[in-house]
Amino acid sequence: MQGGGGVSCAVAGEAPSSRAGGLLGLTFDPPGGEAPAERIGRLVRESPVMIFARRGCCMCHVMRCLLAAVGAHATVIELDEAAEEAAASAAAVPTLFVGGTPVGGLDGLMGLHLSGRLIPRLREVSALYV
């Protein structure tokens, strides 16, 4: 990626694209493009279920498995090291958003699930595929 660190975007389970501009052709430091904060906000608003994670994170894997088990598919954005360090001051990684609202990490997701509020919340944002 050019221009110093940033966030490389990849949807979990998909191979990186050979197109210029990063994984799947998406980077967070395009010349003259959207600011990183604006881009992250837009991605969170556009996806009913979004996880920001680091590559190979076991907690992210558990989050994806739980969401899949209840019939929801999460879009996963993997942060590179520079972006992860920058994001560490703002929020812990992995971080889950449902309907644009932050849920938190694995503990937040498990809390919603165990309290019986996860599935109704996913239904509200039309994120269930069952």
Side-chain angles (χ1 to χ4, degrees):
M1 187 161 32
Q2 298 175 348
V7 177
S8 298
C9 301
V11 178
E14 292 185 11
S17 170
S18 61
R19 290 182 287 174
L23 297 174
L24 299 178
L26 300 173
T27 62
F28 279 74
D29 53 356
E34 237 172 348
E38 293 171 1
R39 189 117 194 230
I40 290 170
R42 182 178 54 78
L43 289 170
V44 167
R45 286 188 307 274
E46 289 175 354
S47 178
V49 182
M50 172 79 68
I51 299 172
F52 288 92
R54 67 180 72 88
R55 187 176 309 270
C57 174
C58 62
M59 291 184 290
C60 176
H61 175 74
V62 172
M63 292 170 79
R64 287 181 26 226
C65 287
L66 174 57
L67 290 166
V70 299
H73 174 75
T75 301
V76 178
I77 304 293
E78 292 181 343
L79 304 176
D80 67 13
E81 289 179 27
E84 186 179 331
E85 288 174 17
S89 61
V93 177
T95 300
L96 171 68
F97 290 84
V98 176
T101 304
V103 170
L106 180 58
D107 57 339
L109 175 60
M110 292 301 294
L112 275 179
H113 180 59
L114 294 173
S115 69
R117 297 184 325 223
L118 177 61
I119 292 175
R121 188 137 175 217
L122 292 170
R123 282 189 183 127
E124 286 177 20
V125 298
S126 303
L128 291 178
Y129 297 103
V130 199

